[in-house]
Amino acid sequence: MPRFAAALLTALLAAPLLVACGGDRDGGVTLHWYVKVEASGSYRQAAQRCSDASAGRYRIELEPLPQTSDDQREQLIRRLAARDRTVDIMGMDVIWTAEFAGAGWLRPWTGARAEQVSAGVLAGPLATARYQGRLWAAPLNSNTQLLWYWKSRTPDPPATWDQVISAAEALPRGRNQVAVQGGRYEGYTVWVNSLLASAGTQLVTDADRPARARAALADAPARRALAVIRRLATSPVADPGLSADTEVDTRQAMLSGAAAFSLNYPEVYAAVRDEAPALLPDLGWTRYPQVVPGQPSRPPLGGINLGISAYSPHPEQAFAAAACLRSAENQQVGAVRGGLPPTIAAGYDDPAVVRAFPFGDLLRASIAAAAPRPATPAYSDVSLAVQQVLHPPASVNPDKDVPELRRTIDDALASKALL
């Protein structure tokens, strides 16, 4: 083969590899941002804005992940375990930080970069980005649950779980459900974690020290928390399908009128506004219920953090791009277009965000007080232990299940359990 033709063939064969690895294009590099699909388009808009602002230094391409958190995690783990160099930026569920950092799949945020993406961030979301004292991600958006209710049925919102259940039991059948996420999935662990934290205990102690981590579950608070599940699940105000209910089911229960109360994310407000606007004036919201009267609740904490892959060939550009994606301006777009609560505290004072979230002050206070799930690399197994021991909700027996859950979590932390 003539030398020129051989060189041309080599270049043609190499080109797809260069593009696949984020090779130069128009003088800059292409950064691949793996993140779940965001229906409003706010992620895509932020990516374009940051690409334009980089003046040709980089261009961000969205790589869609599956819809469910479990499927997203599985796909990312497969790519990272294979040292996939096409992964530059990852949109991570807040519960993955410890696992991904512990596996060596993330680059830490240090120095000025860490200060930039930590400044003004609410304590809860920032805690989800840390592991063993280091910052491993930039909080992009957050989320928490409120108690949603119909004002015409309950003029004065209840403050405790017992009051919620009692108020519902006093309402007519068919209009009195208390809708919570009781299905066997991560949403159920979220509920359990918040009940335990609200009662004054937690699932795991020394979570970020794998050699010392063990089940916490202080006896009296843990029994009190599980008693809430038991009471609701065996009450006539529980949804007959409680053991399969997800956020979608509990949101629909409010829309249909079957539920008088729902513990859910702000998507409930958006759903009522868009699908049943005539009901919007009747929709009320208040803080997540207390387990112990007078002891502030610890609401759930969700959201997305931005991590930089240890295998990205363009870490400098990836850090710069991630810092841009989580900027105040882009968090405002996410809140207004996508209903994604900001992680930057001052974002809730933005007039556009105030209009998007009429309950913004409550949302900010709830996120600030929220209970992160355990920051352990073994979190996935800990969550499965919760679901194994405490599901279905109607089977919960606090006296029997507290010691059983403690033993199963200890086995999970020691990699002894077959979950």
Side-chain angles (χ1 to χ4, degrees):
M1 179 183 295
R3 182 177 299 175
F4 174 76
L8 177 60
L9 178 58
T10 299
L12 290 172
L13 290 173
L17 296 176
L18 287 172
V19 171
C21 292
D24 291 352
R25 184 183 289 179
D26 300 330
V29 301
T30 298
L31 300 173
H32 299 272
W33 177 20
Y34 285 79
V35 66
K36 73 175 183 180
V37 175
E38 200 285 299
S40 78
S42 67
Y43 286 174
R44 188 166 300 283
Q45 182 176 337
Q48 187 62 56
R49 289 173 62 169
C50 291
S51 298
D52 294 343
S54 78
R57 188 179 175 206
Y58 60 77
R59 185 168 65 89
I60 304 171
E61 282 193 359
L62 267 67
E63 302 290 348
L65 290 173
Q67 278 301 312
T68 70
S69 178
D70 288 345
D71 290 342
Q72 293 162 25
R73 173 177 170 272
E74 180 179 337
Q75 183 176 132
L76 284 176
I77 284 178
R78 286 184 176 180
R79 288 182 178 276
L80 293 167
R83 303 191 174 200
D84 185 339
R85 288 166 57 84
T86 70
V87 181
D88 296 297
I89 306 169
M90 293 172 281
M92 307 186 303
D93 192 309
V94 293
I95 56 178
W96 302 341
T97 304
E99 180 183 14
F100 284 23
W105 293 333
L106 297 176
R107 296 176 189 266
W109 293 69
T110 59
R113 287 180 182 139
E115 293 178 8
Q116 179 187 3
V117 300
S118 301
V121 175
L122 291 163
L126 190 59
T128 69
R130 292 188 179 280
Y131 176 62
Q132 295 187 333
R134 304 186 76 180
L135 186 71
W136 294 94
L140 174 64
N141 55 57
S142 189
N143 217 341
T144 192
Q145 292 189 354
L146 306 178
L147 173 62
W148 304 91
Y149 64 98
W150 297 117
K151 291 182 281 190
S152 59
R153 301 183 200 178
T154 310
D156 299 317
T160 70
W161 277 98
D162 279 338
Q163 291 171 0
V164 170
I165 297 169
S166 295
E169 288 173 343
L171 292 170
R173 291 177 66 91
R175 293 162 48 86
N176 64 348
Q177 284 182 10
V178 178
V180 298
Q181 293 81 48
R184 188 168 178 168
Y185 76 119
E186 182 60 25
Y188 188 57
T189 306
V190 168
W191 184 28
V192 172
N193 186 67
S194 283
L195 291 174
L196 290 168
S198 298
T201 187
Q202 56 187 338
L203 285 167
V204 177
T205 187
D206 288 329
D208 65 345
R209 304 293 172 189
R212 299 192 315 208
R214 58 185 174 80
L217 297 168
D219 205 59
R223 289 171 193 265
R224 194 160 192 171
L226 299 194
V228 172
I229 299 175
R230 175 73 182 177
R231 181 181 174 193
L232 176 58
T234 56
S235 165
V237 301
D239 180 0
L242 172 62
S243 63
D245 280 348
T246 66
E247 290 88 350
V248 174
D249 302 302
T250 52
R251 185 168 64 239
Q252 189 58 38
M254 284 297 282
L255 279 170
S256 70
F261 300 97
S262 177
L263 279 303
N264 216 324
Y265 298 97
E267 286 83 351
V268 167
Y269 177 83
V272 174
R273 179 195 61 200
D274 298 341
E275 300 176 37
L279 298 178
L280 193 59
D282 193 31
L283 182 65
W285 50 82
T286 191
R287 181 163 167 155
Y288 199 81
Q290 301 167 0
V291 171
V292 181
Q295 184 170 307
S297 63
R298 302 290 310 279
L301 183 62
I304 298 294
N305 291 332
L306 296 177
I308 306 303
S309 168
Y311 309 113
S312 168
H314 310 294
E316 293 299 318
Q317 294 94 331
F319 275 116
C324 176
L325 290 169
R326 53 71 62 193
S327 68
E329 294 77 11
N330 285 325
Q331 289 199 19
Q332 189 248 37
V333 172
V336 173
R337 288 192 59 175
L340 304 171
T343 58
I344 300 173
Y348 292 87
D349 298 322
D350 184 292
V353 176
V354 171
R355 288 192 294 274
F357 297 132
F359 40 84
D361 287 342
L362 173 62
L363 196 59
R364 174 166 48 190
S366 296
I367 290 172
R373 282 160 279 171
T376 165
Y379 176 76
S380 181
D381 286 340
V382 170
S383 179
L384 290 175
V386 170
Q387 296 164 42
Q388 180 185 80
V389 174
L390 300 181
H391 202 270
S395 72
V396 169
N397 179 334
D399 291 338
K400 177 178 70 68
D401 288 340
V402 169
E404 176 65 13
L405 182 58
R406 196 179 290 127
R407 184 191 63 76
T408 309
I409 288 178
D410 278 338
D411 285 351
L413 292 168
S415 302
K416 295 179 181 176
L418 296 175
L419 300 170

